[in-house]
Amino acid sequence: MNEPAAHPLMKDILGPTALRVIADAGMAASPLFDRATFLDTATQGLDALSVMARVRHIADALHGALPGDYPHALAVLRAMGPHVTHAFQGFALAEYVARYGLHDVDASMEALADLTRHGSAEFAIRPFLAHDPTRVLAQMRTWAEHPNEHVRRLASEGARPRLPWATRVPALKDDPTLAAPILERLKADPSLYVRKSVANHLNDIGKDRPDWLVERMAGWSRDDPRTAWIIRHALRSRIKQGDPAALAIVGARADVAVTVTDFAITPASIRLGETIAITAALTSNAESEQRLVVDYRVHYARANGRTAAKVFKWKSFDLAAGACVSLATRQVIRDFSTRRHHPGRHEIELLVNGRVMAAAGFDLRAA
């Protein structure tokens, strides 16, 4: 399981304070919850664990503190949900279902639909999908009609082929389009929370089945702005790669007619933690209005002397015939757990409708 963290102390979200919150939630839910056993077990070895390992560790500690029979344990667990104070605490409650509920799919599905409202059950649903994909996907299709947005989101997010941090589901790896009927039901969902999941799910599919994605998005009507939003965001990876068919769906042409001037990166040399400014001016050479999708690609220096590229979204807009527009953005160059920076030359390319139109760069100095 890949477990990136946006902050070096992210695992402390599930530290001693969180354990006490979960313990208090158990006591509030039932006098049968063994608070002392839970805290003793959950505390042991916690410091050495990553955030998602802590989720699993806490779920195992819950197993020793909840009533022994599964239906009774689920009842207590579901009563605990409203008392947790952070989504990761909710992850731990749902993880109990994933680890101890595969023998009772119906009861477990009902519990996950409840618990997802207090965090998310997107990770906990994965073992059930791996165990019986046909049955579980059928249940998730009914969730796509649920009045609660958290449950509808679970229908999409839980079945993403490349869900970050999550274990891969063999059936979805073999056919990443299995959840397409769910996405069809959600393509005009009123909740942005749900629509983001649908777009991310479709973007996942496009990494393995780009032709399927482009064909499906071309067939969706963009008359509803909610669906149009999903289409744009679902195609983002294909657009970054300059796919002409994907660009055409969002109204942009690959043979864009613009001139780029004054593309610059300042300052020319920085240290880690400092900020670069990226500026450019674009002038239309067309006789009619053009739809422009402007991105930039950073070629990060690597320790082995090679580079690794990442594309960042900048701006999408319509540019009138003969018009000129100036663009500016800023980016802090700092380390993440998923990206470490190395001293050296970092080239940046300006992409307009997928085409490289200009290049510049900056030097990252050693600390």
Side-chain angles (χ1 to χ4, degrees):
M1 183 182 283
N2 298 321
E3 300 170 5
H7 189 284
L9 298 179
M10 189 177 187
K11 66 180 184 178
D12 290 342
I13 291 170
L14 289 176
T17 299
L19 295 184
R20 289 192 293 271
V21 170
I22 295 171
D24 291 342
M27 289 296 295
S30 171
L32 298 178
F33 183 83
D34 190 337
R35 187 180 193 276
T37 294
F38 169 74
L39 286 174
D40 182 60
T41 306
T43 302
Q44 293 180 27
L46 188 71
D47 287 346
L49 301 177
S50 66
V51 63
M52 293 304 291
R54 290 186 182 202
V55 167
R56 298 187 289 273
H57 178 71
I58 292 169
D60 289 338
L62 284 168
H63 184 59
L66 290 166
D69 64 292
Y70 187 64
H72 197 176
L74 281 187
V76 175
L77 201 70
R78 293 171 68 176
M80 292 171 64
H83 298 280
V84 299
T85 59
H86 193 282
F88 276 84
Q89 298 167 21
F91 291 169
L93 301 188
E95 183 67 15
Y96 171 87
V97 181
R99 296 174 78 78
Y100 297 100
L102 278 177
H103 67 285
D104 192 344
V105 175
D106 289 339
S108 296
M109 292 295 98
E110 185 178 347
L112 291 179
D114 191 10
L115 291 170
T116 200
R117 309 170 204 211
H118 309 294
S120 177
E122 65 202 62
F123 306 117
I125 196 72
R126 308 293 279 192
F128 294 94
L129 279 167
H131 177 68
D132 192 345
T134 301
R135 181 180 180 182
V136 175
L137 283 170
Q139 175 62 63
M140 296 172 83
R141 283 196 292 274
T142 69
W143 287 345
E145 308 282 354
H146 201 280
N148 187 284
E149 66 174 4
H150 295 276
V151 182
R152 297 198 306 277
R153 178 184 179 273
L154 177 59
S156 168
E157 194 73 5
R160 280 180 59 182
R162 294 170 174 259
L163 179 65
W165 301 12
T167 54
R168 295 289 179 257
V169 175
L172 294 174
K173 184 176 181 180
D174 292 341
D175 183 0
T177 71
L178 282 178
I182 294 171
L183 307 181
E184 287 285 345
R185 295 187 183 195
L186 297 172
K187 67 183 180 183
D189 197 273
S191 168
L192 179 60
Y193 184 50
V194 176
R195 295 198 302 275
K196 285 181 178 180
S197 175
V198 174
N200 288 336
H201 191 141
L202 289 163
N203 186 57
D204 281 359
I205 294 174
K207 293 175 182 178
D208 297 305
R209 299 277 298 276
D211 293 342
W212 181 95
L213 174 65
V214 171
E215 181 180 358
R216 183 60 61 98
M217 295 300 93
W220 281 10
S221 171
R222 288 183 289 145
D223 291 341
D224 189 319
R226 298 169 298 188
T227 305
W229 186 94
I230 289 175
I231 292 170
R232 289 195 305 274
H233 288 268
L235 291 171
R236 64 186 184 273
S237 292
R238 300 308 308 158
I239 290 171
K240 286 177 181 179
Q241 294 178 28
D243 185 328
L247 285 162
I249 291 172
V250 299
R253 296 178 54 171
D255 57 343
V256 62
V258 295
T259 299
V260 176
T261 56
D262 300 326
F263 182 58
I265 315 297
T266 54
S269 179
I270 65 168
R271 286 191 171 89
L272 192 66
E274 295 180 342
T275 300
I276 58 170
I278 307 173
T279 56
L282 281 69
T283 301
S284 172
N285 302 321
E287 297 180 355
S288 60
E289 185 177 78
Q290 299 178 92
R291 181 67 179 173
L292 302 186
V293 179
V294 182
D295 304 320
Y296 62 94
R297 179 164 52 212
V298 181
H299 292 268
Y300 291 99
R302 302 295 294 271
N304 59 9
R306 299 181 180 180
T307 61
K310 179 175 175 58
V311 176
F312 294 87
K313 300 299 296 180
W314 195 345
K315 188 174 184 180
S316 297
F317 57 96
D318 296 317
L319 186 63
C324 181
V325 64
S326 295
L327 302 178
T329 189
R330 297 168 65 84
Q331 182 168 323
V332 179
I333 305 301
R334 62 174 182 268
D335 282 344
F336 299 92
S337 63
T338 53
R339 187 190 311 131
R340 296 291 177 182
H341 292 80
H342 301 276
R345 182 68 175 174
H346 290 60
E347 295 292 338
I348 299 182
E349 297 169 323
L350 179 71
L351 306 176
V352 182
N353 293 9
R355 290 178 54 192
V356 177
M357 303 294 291
F362 68 95
D363 293 311
L364 182 64
R365 305 193 305 272

